[in-house]
Structure formats: C-alpha cells, structure tokens
Amino acid sequence: MVRKIGILTSGGDAPGMNAAIRAVTRVALNNGIEMVGIHDGYKGLLEGNFEPLKKTSVSDILARGGTFLGSARLPEFKNEDVRLKCVDNLNNQGIEALVVIGGDGSYRGALELTKMGINCIGLPGTIDNDIPGTDFTIGFDTALRTCVENVDKLRDTSSSHHRASIVEVMGNRCGDLAVYTGICCGAEMVITPETGYDEVEVMERLHYLDAAARKNHAIIIVTEKICDVEALAKKVSQNTGFSGRATVLGHIQRGGSPSPTDRMLASRMGEKAVDLLMEGIGGHCVGIINNEITSLPIEQALEKPRTPRKKFYRLFENLV
Ligand code: ADP
C-alpha cells in the first residue's frame, strides 16, 4: 500500500488544476496517505522544492484559477541522469508515487519516471483539449466560457460597424476550442487544423455574406498557429465589403475561476488518480469518456490519434 504521494503541475497552466490538487490531497489524506506538493513541475522535483500538504494546505483554492504549486518547463528532464537525481530526491523523502497534472509532454516524463520505479498517474490539465485518451481536459470548459463571453462582446460592436471580426483562440494543434466557440457564438466561419485554411475561400465566403446574404457582421474563429490573423484582417478590408479586425484572445483564456464542469472533472479525476495508486497501478493517465472516468496506460494514450470532432463540425455547418 502506497504511503506517501507527491503531486506536481507541469507545462502550461489551466483553470481547475488547483481543484485537482485539492481532490488528490483530500482523498489521499482521508485514506491515511501522506501528501507532498512539488513546486514548479519537474524543475521543483530536481531542486527538491517540496512542501508537505495538510488538509488545510488546499483550503480556499478550489475556485482559484492557475496552480498554487506553480508550473515550469524543464527540457533536461528528458535526460536520464537528470531523472535519476529526481528519483533520488523522491526516495530521500519517502515519496513512492506521483500525480502529474499537465499535457502530453508531462505524460511522457511521468511514463519515464514510472519505468524508473516511481508509479506515476497523469491527469489531463490544459485548456487546449488536445490530449488523447479523454473527451475533455481540465480547463477546456472554463476557457470555452471565456472565449464565448468575449466573442459575444465582439459581435455587438462588429454589427454596429459592418466588421468582420477574426478571432484567434488557443488550442495548440486542436480545433475544439474554435469549433465549440463557433457553435456557441453563431460564428460565420471556423478555421482549424481539421478544416484547413484556404484564403481565397475565406474571401469568397465573406463576399457572399456581404453582397448576397446582406449580413452586417461576420465572425471568424481561428485556431492559433494557422495563419497571421492581423494580415488576414487587412486583406479582408482590402478585398471585401467588410472592415476586417483581428483579435487575439491570448492568455486571458488560461485564467479565471474554473467552471463548475471543470471543478467536477478535476475532482472526479483526482479521486481516480489516488484510487489507481492505492491499487499499485502506475504509468496510467486518467480520462473522461462518455461521462465515465476511465484510465489507460500512457503509452497507449499517446499512440492513439485524437479523434477529430466530426459531429461538431457537421453541427457547425448545419447552423451557419
Ligand atoms: P505539456 O505537458 O503541456 O505538453 P511540455 O511539452 O512543455 O508541456 O512538457 C512539460 C515538461 O514535461 C517538459 O518541460 C519536460 O520537463 C517534460 N517532458 C516533455 N517531454 C518529455 C519526454 N519525452 N521525456 C521526459 N520528459 C518530458
């Protein structure tokens, strides 16, 4: 039976990470397991930046965005000698297992540590919803809420000025945040890694919306890293009847108090992580599939291609 569990957050932060830390801590303590918080991800693991967690250590964090443990990146964690030092630090503290909250990079680190004798469980923490092995990641719902609130506001002002608003949202290489925002906000177009990007098509469609459909605004939601939205906005102004304006929502998408859905997800996933470690299981990641909390080996999850959200693209097409 596991006696002491460490927990860290790694990679980009996401609303709901605190809720997950709280859940893991409370469930473990209630089962007589000691908890240790590790500050700043794998960097803190290397530097021995540890803090024993009591029940009260995680009071008042449920509703707070970000992660009170801090997050960092440590590229050197890919080197075995660096990981060996981390394993030493864990052994010296009597920490037998670890919960890692982060993205697929963090999962890879967790898998390597498991192979070195420290059972690790990965929890999907990112607003991008780009992690295989789960329908939703912790933070996605809150980020979606932020996107929807902001695009609704842009729509008001776009209508007054006959504008085409081009809004860049996050998502890394995953179009979920864009297509969900598109559906929730009644956008005229979404451009994601799944749809591909064709500038001529965008101009033709805007021309149609302006000249034939007589729309007084157009909203285009674009996943980051696909095109330069400022340059696209300029071309829209030059080539269509709309005045093109670009908005990059940026890091506000990463902040804010987690939504009830994210708090539930983080709490359920946190409980599952402790259950797995109590069963002596390591090298797994937790997911939610059809509203059931599940787990599968990290290796299997990382091999799986993420299934594109075909049904949501179809719904989007049916609504514009
Ligand atoms: P995310 O977890 O959000 O995908 P990163 O890809 O930056 O973010 O990964 C976070 C951290 O995980 C890295 O800084 C590194 O310490 C660790 N990591 C990433 N890839 C590997 C790997 N292949 N092997 C070991 N550790 C890794």
Side-chain angles (χ1 to χ4, degrees), residues 262-306:
D262 274 331
R263 294 182 201 190
M264 279 299 294
L265 185 62
S267 302
R268 293 175 73 191
M269 286 182 162
E271 178 187 50
K272 178 74 174 181
V274 178
D275 283 347
L276 290 167
L277 291 175
M278 286 197 302
E279 284 171 44
I281 294 171
H284 275 225
C285 54
V286 176
I288 184 162
I289 294 170
N290 297 328
N291 204 25
E292 286 294 323
I293 300 295
T294 55
S295 81
L296 83 167
I298 291 174
E299 261 156 341
Q300 267 181 37
L302 294 179
E303 274 166 15
K304 276 192 183 176
R306 259 189 93 271

Side-chain angles (χ1 to χ4, degrees), residues 10-13 42-43 72-79 83 101-110 112 125-126 128 130-131 172:
S10 167
D13 70 341
Y42 294 127
K43 187 164 167 282
R73 291 196 159 91
L74 180 73
E76 301 83 1
F77 198 69
K78 288 176 190 164
N79 306 337
R83 289 199 306 274
I101 310 170
D104 57 349
S106 307
Y107 276 16
R108 281 176 222 280
E112 293 304 324
T126 166
D128 294 328
D130 62 342
I131 305 183
N172 196 14

Side-chain angles (χ1 to χ4, degrees), residues 26-308:
R26 292 268 165 98
V27 173
L29 293 175
N30 286 337
N31 281 282
I33 302 166
E34 282 182 69
M35 279 301 302
V36 176
I38 297 153
H39 289 272
D40 301 332
Y42 294 127
K43 187 164 167 282
L45 198 52
L46 182 63
E47 293 166 358
N49 196 352
F50 298 164
E51 172 193 351
L53 297 178
K54 303 187 300 260
K55 265 195 179 179
T56 49
S57 313
V58 292
S59 299
D60 292 332
I61 63 166
L62 180 61
R64 269 200 278 144
T67 156
F68 89 102
L69 288 176
S71 187
R73 291 196 159 91
L74 180 73
E76 301 83 1
F77 198 69
K78 288 176 190 164
N79 306 337
E80 196 179 2
D81 53 333
V82 171
R83 289 199 306 274
L84 274 171
K85 173 84 176 70
C86 293
V87 171
D88 270 353
N89 288 348
L90 289 167
N91 288 338
N92 290 339
Q93 295 287 324
I95 301 169
E96 299 159 333
L98 207 58
V99 176
V100 173
I101 310 170
D104 57 349
S106 307
Y107 276 16
R108 281 176 222 280
L111 182 59
E112 293 304 324
L113 272 186
T114 303
K115 288 178 186 162
M116 294 165 85
I118 305 286
N119 270 351
C120 293
I121 299 296
L123 296 187
T126 166
I127 68 160
D128 294 328
N129 215 34
D130 62 342
I131 305 183
T134 187
D135 290 344
F136 294 105
T137 56
I138 297 165
F140 173 73
D141 184 69
T142 307
L144 175 62
R145 187 180 63 181
T146 302
C147 291
V148 170
E149 278 170 12
N150 283 284
V151 173
D152 281 350
K153 287 176 185 163
L154 279 171
R155 171 183 292 282
D156 294 344
T157 164
S158 294
S159 307
S160 313
H161 294 277
H162 200 66
R163 273 189 193 135
S165 274
I166 298 149
V167 188
E168 182 185 292
V169 300
M170 286 187 172
N172 196 14
R173 314 233 171 251
C174 168
D176 287 6
L177 203 47
V179 75
Y180 279 62
T181 303
I183 291 168
C184 294
C185 297
E188 275 69 26
M189 262 180 267
V190 290
I191 300 169
T192 74
E194 291 82 7
T195 65
Y197 172 54
D198 179 343
E199 195 182 289
V200 175
E201 209 179 293
V202 173
M203 296 304 156
E204 281 174 2
R205 176 111 183 101
L206 282 176
H207 184 69
Y208 164 80
L209 290 169
D210 171 47
R214 298 252 164 233
K215 286 255 188 181
N216 59 2
H217 67 255
I219 306 271
I220 306 171
I221 313 288
V222 190
T223 305
E224 63 184 346
K225 300 178 187 173
I226 293 187
C227 67
D228 178 342
V229 287
E230 291 288 349
L232 177 60
K234 272 197 191 118
K235 284 188 184 157
V236 166
S237 294
Q238 287 159 359
N239 297 309
T240 75
F242 288 109
S243 158
R245 287 293 165 93
T247 304
V248 178
L249 291 185
H251 278 80
I252 57 165
Q253 294 164 93
R254 289 256 194 97
S257 177
S259 68
T261 299
D262 274 331
R263 294 182 201 190
M264 279 299 294
L265 185 62
S267 302
R268 293 175 73 191
M269 286 182 162
E271 178 187 50
K272 178 74 174 181
V274 178
D275 283 347
L276 290 167
L277 291 175
M278 286 197 302
E279 284 171 44
I281 294 171
H284 275 225
C285 54
V286 176
I288 184 162
I289 294 170
N290 297 328
N291 204 25
E292 286 294 323
I293 300 295
T294 55
S295 81
L296 83 167
I298 291 174
E299 261 156 341
Q300 267 181 37
L302 294 179
E303 274 166 15
K304 276 192 183 176
R306 259 189 93 271
T307 35

